[in-house]
Amino acid sequence: MVFPSAPNGVRDRLPTLDEVLLRKTRPPVDLFCFYIFLQREGNEDSLDFWLDVHQHENLCRAYFKDIRKSGRSLREEWPQYWNQALSSGSSYDQAAGITAKDRASYHSDPENHQHSFPSSSEKQQQQQQQQQPSSTSEYYDEKKRERRDTEAGVRGLDAPLRRLDGGRASPVEGVFPSGVQSQQQGGAGAGAGGAGDRRSGGAWAGLGGIGGKRRSGGAAPMVIPRSSAITRGELLLSAERIYARYLLQGGEKEIYLPPSLRINSFPLPAQLSHTDSTSLQTDAQSLASVPDMFLNQKAYVHTCLVQDAFPRFLRAKAFGNLTPATAFVRMLLGLLVLWGGLVAALCFVFLDIKPRSLRLTLLVPFYLSSHLLLSSLYALDPLLVLLFNKSETTPLRHLPLQEVYVRKLLRKRSLGLELAILVLMAVGLLIWYWIPGHRL
C-alpha cells in the first residue's frame, strides 16, 4: 500500500515500519529511537534479526551483481541456485537477472535445466577438497570454539569455506572489518541501506553507539570498501552467523519462531567434511538454499513488529516525549510538591496569615505539581516541546524533533496540555485564595 505525501516530499502522516527500518524517517521516530525503545522492553533481538537478515540479502544481491558485471552467467556459475530459483521462486530475480522468459522456459522443459555441467569453479572446488581433506571431528571442534569466541570461530571456518569456494579463502577482515564486528557483537543489526551497501556497517554505523552497553569503539562508515568480489563462501558465512546467533537453540540472541518456521539444524556443516563427488554435489545443492534461507522467518518477525511493538512505539514517541522512568520520577516529585503546597495553603488558612496577598505564592507549588503530574500522566512535557523542541530518548538524554508531522502533533498536544495545567493551577489558587482565614 502506497501512502500519499505532501507535494514537497514531507509526510503528512505517521511513518510506516518499512520507512523506519529503511532509515527514511527522522527523530524521534527513526531507527535509532525504535531500537532504544525495543531495548528498553528487552525485545531488541527481533529487530537485530531483521536487520542482520536484511544485510545478508544485500550481500547476496551484491554477489549476483558482481557475477553480472564480470560478464559471467549465473546459470553457468551457480546452476544449482539457478534451477532452484526457477522452480521454487526467489526474491533476487532482478539482481540475479532471472526473467519471466527464463522461468517459462524452465517449466516447459525442466529436464534440460536439471542436467547442468559443473562450472570451472566447481571443478576447482573438487580438486581443492581432494587435496585438503578435513575430518568431521576437526570441524565440530572448530564450531565449539566459535560459540565461545565469535572471531576465533570465524577463523576456524576458513578451511571449509575454501573448499566451497574454489580454493579461495574469505578473509574475515574482508567480510566484516573490526569496527563492524564490534558493533555486530554488540547486537546492532546491519543492512538498513540499499543493495549498494554491500558491506554495510550496520544500522548503527555512524551513530557512535547509543550510550549504553552497546556503545562501540567509534563510528563506522555506511559503505565499507572491499578489494575483491563477494564469494559464495562469504554468503555461507553470513547465513551461518545468523543461524548460530538467532535460530540455534540456546544461541546468544535466540528469538521465538513458531514450529513451522524453525530451522532445527544448519543444512551444510555435516556435508562439509566429505570429499567425494556425490557429497560435493550435495554441498552445492544445499548451498543454493542460502540466499533465501531466512525469507519466511524475516517476514514473520516483520509481521510481529507491525502488529505489536511498532504501534506502541508510535504512541510513545509521536504522542509523547518522556521515557517511562522519567514519567515515574515526575509523578513522585509532583505528589511531593503537591503535598508541600497543600501544607502551605492550610497554614495560610488556619494560622490566618496576613496579608491575604501572600497566598499568591501558592502559585509556584500548584503550577509545579500540576505540571509534573499531568506530564507524567501523558508522558509529555509541554515546555520541553514548545521551548526546546526536544524529545527524550533515555533519561536525561534528548534528541531534536526533526520529523515534521510528529513535531506538529506534539506541539498541538503540548499547547492543550499546557492550557490544562494553567487552568488546574488557577482553579486551585482561587479556591485557597478566597477561603476565609480562621486562627485555631
Side-chain angles (χ1 to χ4, degrees), residues 21-319:
L21 293 176
L22 297 179
R23 305 184 70 175
K24 296 180 180 180
T25 57
R26 295 183 176 184
V29 288
D30 60 340
L31 183 59
F32 177 78
C33 293
F34 187 38
Y35 188 88
I36 294 179
F37 175 82
L38 292 178
Q39 188 184 51
R40 188 164 58 237
E41 297 189 343
N43 193 31
E44 74 274 16
D45 291 349
S46 297
L47 181 57
D48 281 335
F49 173 75
W50 193 96
L51 293 172
D52 281 348
V53 173
H54 191 71
Q55 182 196 28
H56 173 73
E57 292 175 348
N58 287 339
L59 197 66
C60 294
R61 292 188 183 94
Y63 169 74
F64 295 138
K65 289 182 179 180
D66 283 347
I67 291 179
R68 296 176 64 186
K69 288 180 180 179
S70 65
R72 295 172 292 169
S73 169
L74 180 61
R75 179 177 179 179
E76 297 177 357
E77 183 69 20
W78 199 356
Q80 294 81 8
Y81 175 78
W82 177 269
N83 292 333
Q84 179 171 303
L86 292 178
S87 61
S88 305
S90 173
S91 58
Y92 305 98
D93 284 359
Q94 182 176 359
I98 299 176
T99 63
K101 183 178 179 181
D102 295 327
R103 187 163 280 112
S105 174
Y106 175 85
H107 288 293
S108 63
D109 188 11
E111 293 296 330
N112 184 36
H113 291 73
Q114 292 292 343
H115 300 288
S116 302
F117 294 100
S119 62
S120 58
S121 63
E122 290 174 342
K123 293 179 181 178
Q124 294 177 2
Q125 175 181 323
Q126 296 177 12
Q127 296 175 359
Q128 186 69 20
Q129 284 208 342
Q130 291 173 1
Q131 293 174 2
Q132 297 183 2
S134 157
S135 65
T136 306
S137 59
E138 178 184 351
Y139 177 79
Y140 281 106
D141 288 341
E142 292 171 351
K143 291 298 291 178
K144 291 178 182 178
R145 288 194 297 271
E146 178 192 5
R147 293 178 184 176
R148 293 194 303 266
D149 186 339
T150 303
E151 293 185 1
V154 169
R155 288 192 293 270
L157 285 173
D158 191 26
L161 290 179
R162 188 184 295 111
R163 292 196 301 276
L164 279 173
D165 215 24
R168 292 178 296 174
S170 303
V172 177
E173 293 78 5
V175 183
F176 297 104
S178 57
V180 181
Q181 274 189 321
S182 63
Q183 291 199 12
Q184 284 193 338
Q185 292 168 3
D197 298 342
R198 298 179 181 179
R199 302 298 172 85
S200 172
W204 319 126
L207 294 177
I210 58 178
K213 62 182 179 179
R214 298 186 182 273
R215 180 180 294 274
S216 64
M222 280 302 299
V223 180
I224 300 174
R226 55 191 177 91
S227 58
S228 61
I230 295 174
T231 64
R232 270 181 277 176
E234 294 176 22
L235 304 186
L236 171 62
L237 181 59
S238 172
E240 193 164 14
R241 280 176 173 171
I242 293 175
Y243 172 78
R245 178 175 293 175
Y246 301 102
L247 305 182
L248 181 66
Q249 186 175 3
E252 174 191 355
K253 299 170 72 67
E254 182 183 4
I255 62 172
Y256 169 79
L257 290 173
S260 59
L261 294 180
R262 293 174 187 168
I263 302 177
N264 296 320
S265 61
F266 196 74
L268 284 172
Q271 290 89 6
L272 285 176
S273 59
H274 298 294
T275 59
D276 56 273
S277 59
T278 303
S279 297
L280 286 172
Q281 183 66 22
T282 304
D283 293 344
Q285 191 63 40
S286 299
L287 183 60
S289 64
V290 165
D292 293 300
M293 181 177 296
F294 309 109
L295 187 63
N296 294 329
Q297 290 78 5
K298 180 187 177 187
Y300 173 80
V301 169
H302 183 276
T303 302
C304 292
L305 292 175
V306 168
Q307 296 177 351
D308 181 30
F310 189 66
R312 289 187 284 107
F313 168 70
L314 288 182
R315 285 195 296 269
K317 306 307 291 185
F319 298 97

Side-chain angles (χ1 to χ4, degrees), residues 320-339 365-388 390-398 414 417-418 421:
N321 67 339
L322 297 178
T323 61
T326 301
F328 180 74
V329 171
R330 284 176 176 246
M331 181 188 68
L332 297 180
L333 292 176
L335 293 175
L336 181 62
V337 174
L338 179 60
W339 176 79
F366 284 175
Y367 175 80
L368 288 178
S369 61
S370 300
H371 179 83
L372 291 172
L373 290 175
L374 288 184
S375 63
S376 171
L377 179 63
Y378 292 96
L380 174 64
D381 186 342
L383 297 183
L384 192 61
V385 173
L386 298 174
L387 300 182
F388 302 102
K390 297 285 187 177
S391 178
E392 192 175 41
T393 55
T394 57
L396 304 180
R397 293 179 180 269
H398 304 84
S414 297
L417 186 59
E418 187 64 26
I421 291 172

